[in-house]
Amino acid sequence: MRVAVTQFATSLKAHENISTCVRIINEVASCQPDIIVLPQYCNTQPCYEDHEQAWQEALALNGDFFQQIATQAKKHSCYIVFNATVRRDLARDTTNGSIKSNISVTTCLISPDGALIQQTDQQAFQAHESEYFISTNNTTEIITTPLAKLGLLAGQNAITYSKARELGMQGAQLLCNAQSTNTAEQNHFYDLTRSVENNVFIATANNVGALMKEHLNERGVGTGFSQIVNTNGKVLAQITHNNEGFTFADIDTAKAGLNNKYRPDGTAFFNQHRIELYQQDATLQKQTAEIKATKNNVPETANVALFATYKSNEQAIEDVCHYIENNLSDIIQLPELFFIDDKSITHNASQLDVIEVLCTEIISKISATLRPFQYVCTSLVIDGVHQAVLINNHGVFALQQQLHFCNRYKWTELGDDLNIVELPLEQGAIKIAMLTADDANMPEIVKVAALNCIHVLLIPFDIQESSEVDCGLLSLAAENRICIVAASREKSFALDPLIMNDDNSATTGNKKKIKQKKSTGLVIDITNSTTLSHKNNQFNVSGCLNRSADRLKVKQQHGKITKALVHPSPTLCKS
């Protein structure tokens, strides 16, 4: 099937906006698409003076605006996805006697015969949106068409895992995402992460017009860069600017959907997903209150280091101890089973016994080298179980059993609880959690950790696919507002370059010229800096979950030693 995405600006004049929509649809029709996705707020520019203006700009369901879009769908024999503000009813606000308009932000799917066959209302809003729009109780459901099983996303619903996962669990193969965002995260990692998490194609159409009252400021203007992403998080087509335009790609959805999702080691997604782990504990609110009451004890910064030895067994242990003796990092993060290059040897029972003896030696030697308030995190085999381990100068400080099944450690018993650890540092204490193996690839368990108010997530892992560090961990940090410290042995993966064609389509590069891309761990810090920079092997990305003061600062693991500062204070639970 051929999918096209568009981007354009709107105004506060409905007749201008419908003319723009019709013109754009006619231009896109030249590539004969099966489905066209238009951006968010096709009917308006959400920069209102008052509720009356918002109401006047909103559409009546199946009114003239809808009918003109339906006419275009019939004319070009294609599906059209568009997003608009829709009048629901008028409700009187009894607190002050004023009338407040009940307006939803709704993504609609029009079929080739002109029928409105699906509508999904946006549930979460940014500050400037929540002033005028309501959250409805509409459920998120997929719709089955002759082309594919489709799901609709819009606005804030696309920057968290939950709505995409809900659609994915229903069998979605293509998610049509109507956006109006002024931040770079949508292009850099949210779209890519949602596609990989759910094995779906994503078609995102982003607004390029004003998004809020401060529309004269560039921060209030849509970034454009609409794109189509495949199930592996690779961009198939992208509009590489923030002006009006469209692009398209041909996709095959036969192998899309969570039923067809497998990890590189062959592990099926449905063998990993454990819904019982993701239920919130009844004591969570009490824990949150206690943590907030003591949050002043959280240090402003913590020194962390990623250390990846290229040695094995006893030599790897000596390498780590030598580093500890010569450095003062608070937390030293090692990869998963850092002393083993080929993890497949763990499937041999006799080898596993040898490994467990070596793990005992690791704990003894590392703890003897550590200073007070200094920690090493890795994964080890203890009592026949693979688990993340936090070591201090007294020995094992905390353990976290592997929580999700994966074929490369299919011999291990899985844990049933996420361990939230209070970690004393010299200047205070922070809350941390540890995840190893494939655990950090499940956004549900990371959300549980964030709701327990952790400051830092420690991840000893072994990269299985480049998307884990290209977009997955970035998305987890931004969505949950937590610092992430993740170490892995370096891996290389094939990199397909994107080539833009003259007809606005895109293709990947010549298979004979595919380059290898090195992937490593990284440190992701949440800071309050307003300065964006690209320096050495680190970069900043602006904007996180509608908290414009926050910044995502990323430092890639490089060589054996990578040092960084993290700022533990900003968390999902921060008031």
Side-chain angles (χ1 to χ4, degrees), residues 86-107:
V86 178
R87 299 176 185 177
R88 294 303 179 182
D89 57 25
L90 282 178
R92 182 169 294 276
D93 184 347
T94 57
T95 59
N96 56 21
S98 64
I99 293 179
K100 180 178 180 179
S101 303
N102 280 346
I103 304 170
S104 64
V105 180
T106 303
T107 304

Side-chain angles (χ1 to χ4, degrees), residues 159 185 188-190 192-194 440 459 466-482 484 522-526 539-541 543-544 552-556:
I159 69 173
E185 289 96 325
H188 290 335
F189 49 80
Y190 284 132
L192 315 185
T193 302
R194 300 292 92 88
I459 306 177
S466 60
S467 62
E468 294 171 25
V469 290
D470 291 343
C471 57
L473 294 179
L474 297 175
S475 178
L476 291 173
E479 178 180 344
N480 297 291
R481 300 183 67 235
I482 54 175
I484 290 180
L522 71 178
V523 177
I524 308 174
D525 185 26
I526 305 288
F539 63 91
N540 294 353
V541 182
C544 295
L552 213 64
K553 185 177 181 180
V554 182
K555 190 168 187 179
Q556 300 289 345

Side-chain angles (χ1 to χ4, degrees), residues 258 349 384 458:
L258 284 176
L458 303 180

Side-chain angles (χ1 to χ4, degrees), residues 113-131:
D113 62 5
L116 174 59
I117 58 174
Q118 181 70 303
Q119 53 176 309
T120 299
D121 291 351
Q122 185 174 327
Q123 302 295 307
F125 298 106
Q126 297 187 56
H128 71 282
E129 295 175 314
S130 59
E131 183 178 350

Side-chain angles (χ1 to χ4, degrees), residues 457-503:
L457 178 61
L458 303 180
I459 306 177
F461 75 128
D462 190 48
I463 298 171
Q464 301 297 297
E465 50 190 353
S466 60
S467 62
E468 294 171 25
V469 290
D470 291 343
C471 57
L473 294 179
L474 297 175
S475 178
L476 291 173
E479 178 180 344
N480 297 291
R481 300 183 67 235
I482 54 175
C483 301
I484 290 180
V485 181
S488 170
R489 287 205 174 202
E490 184 180 277
K491 294 288 186 69
S492 293
F493 301 94
L495 177 64
D496 285 341
L498 182 68
I499 299 175
M500 299 304 299
N501 301 322
D502 292 338
D503 62 357

Side-chain angles (χ1 to χ4, degrees), residues 264-280:
D265 66 359
T267 307
F269 166 79
F270 282 108
N271 287 341
Q272 292 189 303
H273 199 254
R274 298 181 64 192
I275 192 169
E276 72 277 7
L277 282 179
Y278 317 138
Q279 307 302 315
Q280 296 306 308

Side-chain angles (χ1 to χ4, degrees), residues 252-265:
D252 180 2
T253 60
K255 293 184 179 181
L258 284 176
N259 281 323
N260 296 310
K261 179 172 173 55
Y262 295 88
R263 290 284 289 158
D265 66 359

Side-chain angles (χ1 to χ4, degrees), residues 266-330:
T267 307
F269 166 79
F270 282 108
N271 287 341
Q272 292 189 303
H273 199 254
R274 298 181 64 192
I275 192 169
E276 72 277 7
L277 282 179
Y278 317 138
Q279 307 302 315
Q280 296 306 308
D281 191 288
T283 62
L284 178 60
Q285 290 184 343
K286 179 182 177 182
Q287 293 171 354
T288 300
E290 291 173 348
I291 292 168
K292 285 184 176 181
T294 60
K295 65 182 180 181
N296 291 333
N297 294 325
V298 177
E300 183 179 346
T301 62
N303 290 287
V304 301
L306 307 180
F307 185 81
T309 178
Y310 297 99
K311 299 178 181 179
S312 299
N313 302 327
E314 283 83 0
Q315 287 185 326
I317 303 172
E318 293 175 4
D319 209 11
V320 171
C321 290
H322 181 266
Y323 173 77
I324 296 170
E325 289 174 346
N326 293 279
N327 290 273
L328 299 175
S329 303
D330 297 321

